[in-house]
Amino acid sequence: EIVLTQSPGTLSLSPGERATLSCRASQSITANYFAWYQQKPGQAPRLLIYGASSRAVGIPDRFSGSGSGTDFTLIISRLEPEDFAVYYCQQYSSSPWTFGHGTKVEIK
Amino acid sequence: EVQLVESGGGVVRPGGSLRLSCAASGFTFDDYGMSWVRQVPGKGLEWVSNIDWNGGSTGYADSVKGRFTISRDNVKKTLYLQMNSLRVEDTALYYCAKDYYYGSGAYGAWGQGTLIIVSS
């Protein structure tokens, strides 16, 4: 099973700042089968990024994903008030699909 | 608009059974693989099971293998999860999720979840 380790656990930032979230995999993820999700309290997760770097339909371009192999990054270029949430990474390269434990982006 | 509506949750004793359903609308159901993902309230996400477009291929997390069975009815546009031999650690909010595109394991749509509580 591929273990995904997200860092940091919590990121305290102000609106307008840049957020950099990391996810490291215990094994190489082939073909960039890697995604990022946003989850707000009381809501289901929302797909932001798939294929490591492709934005899902309707996702603002302030969200960008990068990485390959074992190291992946989600960048939110300028935080908007609605971006404060928990972010999860996911790999769907090798069964069982697995998720990271999440990074909470909170208002400083 | 894509909609996924789960039902069938509730309180069950350890060792008991439940069947979850997920009614789909707003897309061509049999064009997509589907999955169940669970989340203990306040905790992270755990993939449970997936099924391809026609039910010919399924996958399960080790934690549920042999106890849970995923299936689908493409005529009724409904996904199911039969859960047997339930354990306290199966307590969670269960989401059904739709592949973002055919063959993808990324989930482009989620239901609102149905809560399962396993308790004596």
Side-chain angles (χ1 to χ4, degrees):
Chain A
E1 170 176 322
I2 296 178
V3 176
L4 299 178
T5 303
Q6 291 189 241
S7 61
T10 302
L11 201 49
S12 298
L13 295 167
S14 300
E17 289 193 295
R18 177 185 178 94
T20 302
L21 288 68
S22 296
C23 184
R24 174 163 290 178
S26 60
Q27 304 169 40
S28 184
I29 293 172
T30 58
N32 284 344
Y33 288 149
F34 191 88
W36 290 95
Y37 298 86
Q38 177 193 69
Q39 187 176 34
K40 297 178 182 179
Q43 296 184 17
R46 178 175 72 143
L47 178 66
L48 301 174
I49 302 288
Y50 67 97
S53 60
S54 297
R55 269 188 302 277
V57 171
I59 301 304
D61 61 7
R62 64 180 181 273
F63 292 93
S64 64
S66 63
S68 63
T70 60
D71 290 294
F72 297 85
T73 301
L74 175 70
I75 291 175
I76 310 170
S77 59
R78 287 179 57 85
L79 282 163
E80 297 287 341
E82 62 268 27
D83 299 336
F84 292 92
V86 179
Y87 292 82
Y88 293 97
C89 59
Q90 179 214 4
Q91 67 81 21
Y92 47 101
S93 167
S94 171
S95 186
W97 306 161
T98 49
F99 292 88
H101 289 294
T103 290
K104 181 179 182 180
V105 178
E106 66 176 21
I107 299 176
K108 186 174 181 180
Chain B
E1 179 193 3
V2 173
Q3 281 203 315
L4 299 170
V5 179
E6 301 96 337
S7 60
V11 181
V12 62
R13 304 268 192 201
S17 297
L18 278 178
R19 189 175 84 153
L20 306 185
S21 299
C22 171
S25 61
F27 65 101
T28 305
F29 185 65
D30 54 9
D31 274 354
Y32 292 90
M34 299 290 295
S35 296
W36 291 97
V37 177
R38 67 186 181 185
Q39 184 173 36
V40 174
K43 302 296 183 184
L45 300 165
E46 180 187 14
W47 174 79
V48 173
S49 182
N50 65 357
I51 188 168
D52 71 353
W53 69 279
N54 67 350
S57 176
T58 59
Y60 298 93
D62 285 346
S63 58
V64 307
K65 201 172 293 183
R67 300 188 297 122
F68 290 10
T69 303
I70 192 171
S71 61
R72 64 190 295 161
D73 184 330
N74 286 345
V75 173
K76 294 183 178 179
K77 299 182 182 180
T78 302
L79 176 72
Y80 302 102
L81 187 68
Q82 177 66 44
M83 310 165 68
N84 298 332
S85 303
L86 282 160
R87 304 169 180 168
V88 171
E89 55 265 35
D90 294 319
T91 294
L93 185 65
Y94 284 73
Y95 292 106
C96 78
K98 165 191 167 293
D99 283 359
Y100 184 55
Y101 56 83
Y102 177 74
S104 167
Y107 303 124
W110 300 63
Q112 284 305 301
T114 187
L115 183 62
I116 307 300
I117 297 174
V118 184
S119 174
S120 56

